[in-house]
Amino acid sequence: MAKKNRQKKYQNSNGGHIEDSSNVIFDPMSVTWLEKYDKIVSRIWNKVPTSVGKVIATVATFLVGISINGDWVNLFVHLRKQLGYATGRSLSETSIMWNSISIENLRLTNFSFYFISSCVVSYTMYFGVGGFLHWYYYVRQRDRPYEWKCQPTKWLSPELERHEIILGTFSLTLNMTVSAILATYIANGGYCTVYYQISDYGWFWFLLQFPIIYIILDYITYWIHRIYHFPWLYVRFHKLHHKYKQPTAFSVTAIHPVESLNIQLLLITPLFTIPVHWLSYYTVVIYNYYHGIIDHSGVNFKAYWWQPWQPDAIFHDNHHQYCHVNFGFNLSIWDKLHGTFRLKDRVYREDIFFGNGKAIQEVSEAELLEDIKERQSENPLAYKNNKLDYELSPAQIKRLKSKK
Ligand SMILES: [Zn+2]
Ligand SMILES: [Zn+2]
C-alpha cells in the first residue's frame, strides 16, 4: 500500500522525481512508513477545521524543537529550582574531592532518572510529533508541492530519508545524554552562573539578556557553521549534513556527532560564564530550536510581522541547495557583514568554497546552465512578495556575462 500511495502522489507532483516512484519499497526506517497510515490519519484529520490544524502543526513544530537537544529536562530542573525544590548543595558547601571521585562527588546522583526520562520524551517527540509533521506536509500534501514546498520538483530519496533518520536519532541520543548530564549536575548543585531571582541583577539586565544571548549565540553559530565549511572540516564532518539538498525537519539533528557535540558545548557556555536567568536563556534557546525545525522543514515558512530580524525558511533552504553560502541562522546580518550572503550575480556550488561563490562571468557554460536550472526549481511562494529573488532573465544573463 505504501508503494502504491507514493507512486500515485509522485506522479501527480507535476515535475517531481517520477523515476523514484518505481524504486520505492516499504522501509520501516525511512519516512515511507508514514504512508502506510495515510488513509487512517487523513480520515481523522479531515474532521479537524483548517485553522485548528494549522495551530496543531505550529505546536508540533515547537514541541519537536524543544526536544532536539533533550533540553526540556534542563527546563524541568530549573523550574524546580525556581519553585524552591532545589535538592543539591552549592559548590561552595562541598567542593569536588579529586582524590575520591564518586558519582555523588561529580554531582551525578540520579543520572539514570534524568537520562531515561529524557530518552522517553525526546524519542516520542522526534518520531511521534516529528512523524506527524512529516505526514502533515510530505504525505498529506505530496500531490500539491507548489503550494508549500521550497523546492517543489525535488524530493529526498527514501534512502536519504532513512539516512537522515538514523543519523538524526544517533546525534539526538548524544545530545540528550549531554543534556541529561548537565541537568543532573545542576540539579545536584553543581557550579553554574544561572540565577533565579530577577532582583539579584535587576530588571534592566534581565530584559537585556534576551537580545544579548540571542545575538551572541547566533554569532557563535554563524562562525562554527562557517568554519565547518572550510574544506578540511567540511569533507570530514559537515558534508554529512549536506547530503540533504532538500532538507526536512528530520535533518535538524542529522549532523556528524563530533560537530553536534561541538555546537552543543559552545551553546551552553553562557550558563557557566555570565550571570543568566534560566528563563531568558532557555526562551532564546527554544526559540532558536523552533526555528531550526522551520529552517530545515523544506516548507515555505515566512517570518511573522513581529520578527523583522528573522530570515524566512528559504534562507537556510538555499544553504542546502547551493551549499557554501548563507551560513547564518536567525539573523542574516552576519552573512551581509562578512560577504557570505547569497547574491544574484554569483554562482554557488559544493565545489566553490568559502561563501563568496564565483562571479557569473567566470563560470563555464555548463555550470551556468546547471545554476539556472537550480534557480528555476525554487518556489516563488517561498520569497517575500511571492517573487523569485534570484531568477535571471536571458537579458540579465547576457548583461552579467559581458560585465568585467
Ligand atoms: Zn552547512
Ligand atoms: Zn542545515
Side-chain angles (χ1 to χ4, degrees):
M1 177 158 59
K3 184 174 174 177
K4 248 187 181 170
N5 277 346
R6 180 166 279 205
Q7 262 179 343
K8 190 182 81 200
K9 292 195 172 186
Y10 261 109
Q11 280 160 359
N12 285 341
S13 68
N14 194 11
H17 283 183
I18 291 168
E19 69 276 10
D20 281 352
S21 64
S22 57
N23 300 324
V24 174
I25 34 163
F26 178 72
D27 180 346
M29 281 310 286
S30 129
V31 201
T32 48
W33 66 268
L34 285 164
E35 291 169 20
K36 199 179 163 203
Y37 304 102
D38 185 23
K39 264 191 181 163
I40 306 165
V41 184
S42 293
R43 210 178 303 143
I44 302 165
W45 192 259
N46 289 340
K47 293 186 180 124
V48 177
T50 315
S51 53
V52 178
K54 280 185 178 164
V55 173
I56 294 174
T58 309
V59 173
T61 313
F62 179 74
L63 290 175
V64 181
I66 299 184
S67 314
I68 60 172
N69 265 356
D71 254 332
W72 74 270
V73 79
N74 284 300
L75 282 177
F76 169 72
V77 164
H78 289 295
L79 183 66
R80 248 183 53 191
K81 282 197 151 195
Q82 177 77 70
L83 297 174
Y85 294 106
T87 49
R89 290 160 292 171
S90 73
L91 200 71
S92 54
E93 287 172 51
T94 50
S95 56
I96 291 176
M97 317 263 270
W98 292 107
N99 54 352
S100 60
I101 290 176
S102 64
I103 293 292
E104 197 191 2
N105 212 332
L106 291 171
R107 295 172 187 276
L108 292 175
T109 315
N110 283 335
F111 170 72
S112 52
F113 164 74
Y114 292 102
F115 181 68
I116 293 168
S117 42
S118 182
C119 286
V120 172
V121 176
S122 292
Y123 289 143
T124 308
M125 293 294 172
Y126 186 72
F127 290 105
V129 186
F132 159 75
L133 261 184
H134 201 87
W135 169 82
Y136 184 77
Y137 289 104
Y138 285 79
V139 179
R140 182 176 151 264
Q141 304 182 61
R142 188 149 202 128
D143 53 349
R144 40 185 201 280
Y146 283 91
E147 291 175 15
W148 60 271
K149 203 169 178 301
C150 289
Q151 300 178 55
T153 58
K154 295 176 179 176
W155 305 79
L156 276 192
S157 65
E159 290 71 29
L160 279 176
E161 283 181 350
R162 183 178 212 265
H163 184 278
E164 67 172 356
I165 289 194
I166 293 174
L167 178 62
T169 308
F170 187 81
S171 291
L172 173 71
T173 308
L174 186 72
N175 293 347
M176 270 167 11
T177 311
V178 174
S179 285
I181 292 173
L182 182 70
T184 316
Y185 175 76
I186 289 177
N188 287 313
Y191 173 80
C192 65
T193 50
V194 179
Y195 68 96
Y196 299 87
Q197 301 307 322
I198 294 174
S199 55
D200 286 357
Y201 292 89
W203 275 95
F204 182 67
W205 174 237
F206 175 72
L207 295 174
L208 199 64
Q209 280 171 59
F210 290 87
I212 286 187
I213 296 171
Y214 188 79
I215 291 167
I216 291 178
L217 292 190
D218 204 59
Y219 197 46
I220 291 176
T221 38
Y222 167 84
W223 270 110
I224 307 173
H225 189 195
R226 193 169 162 188
I227 290 168
Y228 270 101
H229 271 266
F230 287 0
W232 195 89
L233 287 170
Y234 180 76
V235 173
R236 281 161 187 82
F237 303 105
H238 193 60
K239 194 174 165 59
L240 211 51
H241 182 61
H242 277 272
K243 271 175 109 64
Y244 324 116
K245 282 192 83 179
Q246 296 80 38
T248 76
F250 290 111
S251 312
V252 187
T253 54
I255 301 176
H256 192 288
V258 169
E259 186 188 347
S260 186
L261 194 63
N262 188 183
I263 296 170
Q264 196 178 9
L265 294 179
L266 274 163
L267 291 186
I268 60 173
T269 47
L271 298 175
F272 302 95
T273 48
I274 51 170
V276 281
H277 195 282
W278 70 279
L279 213 52
S280 44
Y281 175 81
Y282 280 104
T283 304
V284 172
V285 164
I286 286 166
Y287 173 92
N288 290 351
Y289 291 160
Y290 170 74
H291 274 283
I293 304 282
I294 296 271
D295 293 346
H296 286 90
S297 65
V299 180
N300 60 353
F301 288 114
K302 288 178 188 166
Y304 293 106
W305 63 267
W306 54 269
Q307 303 169 288
W309 60 84
Q310 188 70 42
D312 299 329
I314 191 74
F315 178 73
H316 192 70
D317 200 85
N318 272 184
H319 175 71
H320 278 262
Q321 192 176 357
Y322 298 96
C323 204
H324 305 289
V325 67
N326 293 1
F327 299 120
F329 290 94
N330 296 304
L331 288 169
S332 54
I333 190 158
W334 314 125
D335 285 289
K336 287 175 181 160
L337 274 176
H338 297 301
T340 53
F341 187 78
R342 188 179 171 203
L343 297 173
K344 202 171 182 169
D345 59 351
R346 312 221 33 117
V347 171
Y348 304 88
R349 299 161 51 99
E350 202 180 15
D351 54 1
I352 305 173
F353 283 91
F354 305 113
N356 308 114
K358 208 174 186 182
I360 222 162
Q361 56 267 40
E362 287 169 17
V363 296
S364 69
E365 204 65 35
E367 284 174 331
L368 183 62
L369 279 174
E370 210 177 292
D371 190 62
I372 290 169
K373 237 172 123 185
E374 281 291 342
R375 293 184 196 220
Q376 285 169 347
S377 71
E378 294 177 38
N379 189 347
L381 295 183
Y383 287 93
K384 294 254 183 310
N385 307 320
N386 301 331
K387 271 168 78 183
L388 285 173
D389 281 356
Y390 298 91
E391 192 174 40
L392 293 169
S393 66
Q396 278 174 315
I397 298 167
K398 215 174 149 190
R399 203 167 55 238
L400 285 167
K401 284 217 75 148
S402 61
K403 250 202 264 174
K404 284 273 167 194

